[in-house]
Amino acid sequence: MILFKRISYKNFLSTGNQPIEVALDMSQTTLVVGTNGSGKSTLLKLLMGLASSDSGKIQYIDKKNTVTQDRRTHMVYLPADSNGLYQKLSAYENLSYSSKLANQNHPNQKHFQILKEWGLSHPLLSKLPVESFSTGMKRKIALIRVLLAQKPC
């Protein structure tokens, strides 16, 4: 869980004066929406530690109810303009590599199975680098990586 406790942040474009309180539950996915300038990007920057709040605190609470400062165990981020894939690797190699980076020991068969479920299991695709894939195919692989990450928030 991620808790925002009385967070306030001001910049020269700020319009609100009220601190926010938000609880991002471990069992939910949260969609952040709002008009231009409403603070969506600021919220993400605060979450990732790329900006500091003027007051309040952000707490990251693990499954054992222990407060931790390690943001990486609480979120996965997939930017809209980049898939974060290694272009010279195949789809399977990208999934295997990101699993290793996250210290996850998914069996090889799981990667093949999920690629099949997402329509990416043609024998030719197992050898081709993702740089030769369509934009939609790359996005599918990026989304599969997020799903395999199994982060709580």
Side-chain angles (χ1 to χ4, degrees):
M1 178 182 303
I2 302 173
L3 294 176
F4 282 69
K5 292 192 171 186
R6 309 276 310 151
I7 296 291
S8 64
Y9 178 87
K10 286 280 192 192
N11 66 24
F12 69 97
L13 296 174
S14 295
T15 57
N17 291 322
Q18 298 299 316
I20 63 166
E21 292 197 22
V22 179
L24 302 175
D25 193 324
M26 282 196 252
S27 63
Q28 296 179 353
T29 299
T30 302
L31 175 65
V32 179
V33 295
T35 59
N36 289 345
S38 63
K40 299 177 301 290
S41 295
T42 300
L43 176 71
L44 290 174
K45 288 176 186 175
L46 290 168
L47 270 173
M48 294 186 296
L50 299 175
S52 298
S53 63
D54 295 326
S55 66
K57 62 183 173 178
I58 301 173
Q59 291 183 319
Y60 302 87
I61 303 170
D62 64 19
K63 291 179 181 178
K64 298 175 185 170
N65 279 336
T66 305
V67 176
T68 177
Q69 293 304 310
D70 190 358
R71 294 173 176 87
R72 296 171 299 169
T73 62
H74 286 77
M75 65 186 88
V76 176
Y77 173 63
L78 181 60
D81 59 347
S82 169
N83 291 314
L85 300 174
Y86 293 92
Q87 299 297 312
K88 300 293 183 189
L89 299 179
S90 70
Y92 171 78
E93 291 168 332
N94 265 283
L95 296 180
S96 295
Y97 184 66
S98 60
S99 290
K100 286 177 187 170
L101 285 177
N103 291 322
Q104 294 173 326
N105 296 319
H106 295 299
N108 293 340
Q109 197 57 33
K110 181 167 185 158
H111 294 139
F112 286 121
Q113 180 62 33
I114 199 162
L115 287 169
K116 183 178 181 180
E117 290 169 7
W118 283 62
L120 296 169
S121 64
H122 191 280
L124 289 176
L125 296 180
S126 66
K127 304 245 187 276
L128 291 174
V130 296
E131 68 186 352
S132 64
F133 289 11
S134 70
T135 301
M137 292 166 72
K138 290 177 186 176
R139 197 60 171 172
K140 282 182 179 182
I141 297 164
L143 289 168
I144 291 168
R145 281 183 38 217
V146 170
L147 290 173
L148 288 172
Q150 298 176 334
K151 299 289 182 183
C153 228

